Amino acid sequence: MSINIEQAIIHEISLDSQGQMACRLRPQPLLNSQAVEAMLEELHQTYSSKAGKGFGYFGVPQEDGEANDAFANALQSYRDGDTGFVDFTVIASQLLQQELAKYDFSQGGFLLMSCYSSMASEYLFVALLSAKSSMTVLDDMELSQNNHLDLNNIQLAARIDLTELQADKASKKYISFIRGRAGRKVADFFLDFMGCVEGVNSKAQNKTLIHAVEDFVAGSELTKDERQQCRDKVFEYCAERADLGADIDVKDLADELADQGMDSFYDFACGGNYELDEEFPADKASLRTLKKFSGTGGGVTLSFDGGHLGERVIYDPISDTILIKGVPANLKDQLDRRLKGE
C-alpha cells in the first residue's frame, strides 16, 4: 500500500422524516480491515490524480467578515490530544449538517474522514460520498438491487496536509479540494463548513510559468530545437512533481534548466516581471500547452505536438489558415473514402 491508515470513520447525513437534515453517527472508528484499506487506497489514488484541484487554507474571507473557525479549532484540539478522533468527526458532521441545511438542493451523503500518511506527509481526508445503485445476480440466479459507495465519482472532497500546516501556518495551500464541474461555487458549502478560503490559484500560476518560459526562450539565442527541448524539460519536471503530489519549485526548475545549458531562468521568472510564486502546485492540464497545441471551435478540433509547428504544421496568421503536411493515416483513409463516395 502507498498509504498508512491511522484512523477512519463514516457518518451519514440525510433527510429525516420531517425533511430536515440529520446525522446518523458511528460511535467508533472503522476497523482497519482489508475493505477499509482497499477503499482508502482507491480514494487516495483517485483524488491524487484529479486535475485542476483548488488550494486554500483556514482563514477569513475579507468580504464575509468572521470566518467559520469551528472546524479548524476542533482539528487543532484533536491534534493536541484534547479531543478524540471520533468526537472530532462528530463535530465535523454536525458542522456539515448545519451547512447543508442552508441549501434546498442537498440530499446529504456519507461523510468519510480519515487520517493517513503517504510519503513523508500526514493527511486528513474529508469527503462526502454518495451511494449508487447496482444490480447483482444471486446464487439462485435471482436479481438483487444493492447500494454501494460511488468511489470513482467523488466531487466533494478535500485533503488537509497536516505536515505542511504544522510546519508553516502562514501557508495558503495546505488544503486542496476538488473544484466542481462548473467551478468552485458548486462546492462552496463543502469548503464553508471547514472554514476554507481559496489561497493559491494553481491554474493561474501554471499559466504564468508557461508565459515566463515562452518569453525566456523567445529572448534567448537558442535554436528552434533547443527551445523545444527547454519546453519539454519544463513539462517533464512539472509533470513529475504533479505525479509525486509535490509543488513546483521555480529555483529547482531553474537548476534543471541550467544543467541543460539554459542559465538565469530563476532571475528571469522571479525578478519582478511576473506575478509568480517561488513554489506552487502543478496543474498538468495547463502545462500541456508546452507540449501541444489544441483547439476546438466551429465543428473543428485540432491538436498537434508543438515540435511540428513550422515544419509539418504551417500557420499563416494573415490568411487565418493552417497547412498540414503528412496527413495522419487514419484521417487520410477517412477522407479518401468520403471523396470516393462523392
Side-chain angles (χ1 to χ4, degrees):
M1 287 185 63
S2 64
I3 64 174
N4 180 33
I5 303 168
E6 297 174 12
Q7 301 266 29
I9 198 167
I10 289 179
H11 302 297
E12 184 180 12
I13 303 174
S14 59
L15 294 173
D16 61 18
S17 57
Q18 282 76 44
Q20 302 297 314
M21 280 292 170
C23 293
R24 188 161 67 97
L25 303 171
R26 180 180 169 86
Q28 67 273 335
L30 296 168
L31 299 175
N32 279 346
S33 64
Q34 186 175 356
V36 173
E37 292 175 355
M39 176 187 68
L40 286 170
E41 178 74 22
E42 181 177 344
L43 284 171
H44 171 72
Q45 298 294 342
T46 301
Y47 182 86
S48 297
S49 63
K50 280 276 188 180
K53 288 191 287 286
F55 294 84
Y57 61 102
F58 295 128
V60 182
Q62 294 181 355
E63 67 274 13
D64 292 344
E66 295 184 2
N68 177 11
D69 57 0
F71 183 95
N73 291 339
L75 173 59
Q76 187 61 53
S77 179
Y78 163 63
R79 297 281 288 168
D80 291 341
D82 298 329
T83 302
F85 178 73
V86 174
D87 291 337
F88 162 53
T89 64
V90 167
I91 294 172
S93 298
Q94 292 168 343
L95 289 171
L96 181 56
Q97 172 201 339
Q98 294 166 15
E99 193 64 36
L100 287 171
K102 301 176 183 178
Y103 299 89
D104 296 332
F105 61 80
S106 178
Q107 299 298 312
F110 295 92
L111 177 64
L112 168 68
M113 299 183 67
S114 176
C115 282
Y116 67 84
S117 56
S118 176
M119 306 290 285
S121 295
E122 186 179 0
Y123 298 102
L124 171 66
F125 184 72
V126 185
L128 187 63
L129 305 174
S130 59
K132 187 176 182 180
S133 179
S134 64
M135 302 294 291
T136 186
V137 179
L138 304 177
D139 291 340
D140 60 359
M141 304 307 288
E142 287 287 345
L143 290 177
S144 176
Q145 185 172 352
N146 298 306
N147 288 329
H148 67 273
L149 293 176
D150 189 1
L151 303 183
N152 294 322
N153 190 33
I154 53 173
Q155 296 297 325
L156 296 171
R159 187 168 67 186
I160 303 171
D161 189 329
L162 299 174
T163 302
E164 182 173 349
L165 172 59
Q166 177 84 20
D168 182 10
K169 287 183 169 54
S171 168
K172 293 190 175 183
K173 57 180 178 58
Y174 52 77
I175 303 176
S176 64
F177 57 89
I178 295 176
R179 292 184 182 276
R181 289 194 181 97
R184 178 184 178 278
K185 291 188 180 299
V186 174
D188 265 359
F189 73 88
F190 191 69
L191 299 181
D192 288 345
F193 106 89
M194 292 189 298
C196 175
V197 179
E198 186 167 8
V200 176
N201 188 327
S202 61
K203 180 174 268 189
Q205 284 288 297
N206 280 260
K207 288 184 176 180
T208 300
L209 174 64
I210 294 168
H211 186 193
V213 170
E214 291 296 343
D215 289 349
F216 179 71
V217 298
S220 70
E221 296 181 357
L222 301 174
T223 66
K224 180 178 181 297
D225 289 341
E226 288 171 338
R227 291 180 183 185
Q228 190 58 44
Q229 288 171 12
C230 178
R231 297 185 186 99
D232 292 344
K233 186 65 179 178
V234 172
F235 178 82
E236 289 167 8
Y237 168 84
C238 295
E240 181 179 350
R241 300 296 287 177
D243 292 339
L244 292 173
D247 289 346
I248 295 171
D249 185 320
V250 179
K251 182 67 170 64
D252 191 30
L253 171 59
D255 291 342
E256 294 274 341
L257 294 177
D259 291 340
Q260 303 294 317
M262 291 166 275
D263 298 324
S264 71
F265 178 72
Y266 176 79
D267 293 335
F268 181 86
C270 298
N273 294 325
Y274 306 92
E275 295 182 2
L276 189 65
D277 295 340
E278 295 201 6
E279 294 185 20
F280 52 89
D283 179 47
K284 290 174 76 172
S286 299
L287 292 163
R288 288 194 186 98
T289 57
L290 288 166
K291 300 275 287 182
K292 287 196 170 200
F293 291 100
S294 62
T296 299
V300 175
T301 297
L302 186 61
S303 175
F304 59 90
D305 290 341
H308 292 320
L309 184 63
E311 296 179 359
R312 285 187 60 192
V313 180
I314 311 298
Y315 170 53
D316 184 352
I318 297 176
S319 62
D320 192 28
T321 58
I322 287 180
L323 172 65
I324 300 175
K325 298 179 181 179
V327 179
N330 56 350
L331 177 58
K332 179 177 173 57
D333 181 60
Q334 296 173 59
L335 295 172
D336 288 344
R337 289 174 181 271
R338 175 61 62 88
L339 289 175
K340 289 179 181 179
E342 293 178 352

